[in-house]
Amino acid sequence: DIQMTQSPSSLSAFVGVRVTITCRASQSVNNYLNWYQQKPGEAPKVLIYAASSLQSGVPSRFSGSGSGTDFTLTISSLQPEDIAIYYCQQTSSTPPTFGQGTRLEIK
Amino acid sequence: EVQLLESGGGLVQPGGSLRLSCAASGFNITNYAMTWVRQAPGKGLEWVSVISDIGGGSYYADSVKGRFTISRDKSKNTLYLQMNSLRAEDTAVYYCARDNYVQISYFYYYMDVWGKGTTVAVSS
């Protein structure tokens, strides 16, 4: 199975700042990489698919980049409603594995 | 409106069985691959199983292979997860999700519709 490792595991930042979360795959997943946001008590929601494509309805402050083994999710200007856990997921091979999650908090 | 609604969770003893249901509305589940994902208390997301759109082939995580069976009923537009020989480590919120895809030279899959989840607790 492909292992996905996210960093950091938790992050605290001020409103308005730029935030970056990284995801590393144990082997190349090309750009078969999705990002999900899970707010407390809610189901996950897809933000980014195919490494850099923004899902319809997701604010443009979210962006994704990377290919191969290294990926990033960037929030250009952190908002209070972005408090959540963020997960990357590879769909290059079965089973499609998730990262362990990054908990994002507001300072 | 496109929606998924899970049901069937509950408290079960180790070794017992449960069948989870996921009723879809607003789309035909046979036009999409459908997935079960679970989340143990305080833990991350774990992919459990998928049933493909074409042919209905299924795949399972090693942790549930041989114990869980995914299926679907076209007439009821409902996805199922039959869970047998349940263990304490199967305790989790179980989500069903729709696997959508886009074709950008290749097919890229992502889960774009999720249910609210149903809770399974395995304990004596």
Side-chain angles (χ1 to χ4, degrees):
Chain A
D1 298 0
I2 297 177
Q3 289 209 334
M4 307 300 292
T5 303
Q6 293 180 228
S7 60
S9 295
S10 63
L11 174 60
S12 181
F14 290 103
V15 170
V17 304
R18 182 184 184 93
V19 169
T20 298
I21 297 169
T22 65
C23 177
R24 176 164 288 177
S26 59
Q27 65 189 73
S28 176
V29 299
N30 294 300
N31 57 343
Y32 293 94
L33 193 286
N34 304 323
W35 288 98
Y36 296 89
Q37 175 195 61
Q38 188 178 31
K39 295 184 177 181
E42 297 184 4
K45 167 189 167 183
V46 64
L47 301 175
I48 302 287
Y49 60 88
S52 61
S53 296
L54 189 69
Q55 170 70 344
S56 176
V58 173
S60 59
R61 64 180 179 273
F62 291 93
S63 64
S65 64
S67 185
T69 60
D70 294 306
F71 301 87
T72 59
L73 173 70
T74 299
I75 308 173
S76 60
S77 176
L78 186 64
Q79 300 301 304
E81 60 267 30
D82 300 334
I83 295 172
I85 300 176
Y86 294 83
Y87 296 93
C88 62
Q89 180 211 23
Q90 67 80 21
T91 57
S92 173
S93 67
T94 301
T97 43
F98 291 93
Q100 82 278 16
T102 294
R103 183 181 298 272
L104 178 57
E105 298 174 338
I106 303 291
K107 275 186 183 174
Chain B
E1 183 185 2
V2 173
Q3 284 189 81
L4 294 168
L5 182 63
E6 302 95 337
S7 61
L11 175 63
V12 62
Q13 292 188 339
S17 298
L18 276 178
R19 188 179 79 157
L20 305 184
S21 300
C22 171
S25 56
F27 72 100
N28 188 333
I29 63 168
T30 58
N31 291 337
Y32 295 86
M34 297 292 295
T35 291
W36 287 98
V37 172
R38 69 184 180 183
Q39 187 169 35
K43 302 297 185 183
L45 302 172
E46 180 188 12
W47 177 86
V48 173
S49 180
V50 64
I51 186 167
S52 68
D53 47 350
I54 302 172
S58 56
Y59 300 88
Y60 300 91
D62 285 345
S63 58
V64 307
K65 199 173 295 182
R67 301 187 299 123
F68 289 12
T69 303
I70 192 171
S71 63
R72 62 190 179 192
D73 185 327
K74 179 180 178 180
S75 66
K76 295 182 179 179
N77 208 29
T78 298
L79 177 74
Y80 300 101
L81 187 68
Q82 177 67 43
M83 305 187 297
N84 299 330
S85 303
L86 282 162
R87 306 167 179 167
E89 55 265 35
D90 296 318
T91 294
V93 175
Y94 284 74
Y95 297 100
C96 63
R98 183 177 81 172
D99 267 326
N100 206 346
Y101 67 89
V102 294
Q103 187 175 5
I104 314 168
S105 66
Y106 300 101
F107 288 94
Y108 293 87
Y109 284 85
Y110 57 99
M111 291 176 278
D112 70 333
V113 180
W114 294 68
K116 295 184 184 302
T118 187
T119 299
V120 172
V122 184
S123 175
S124 54

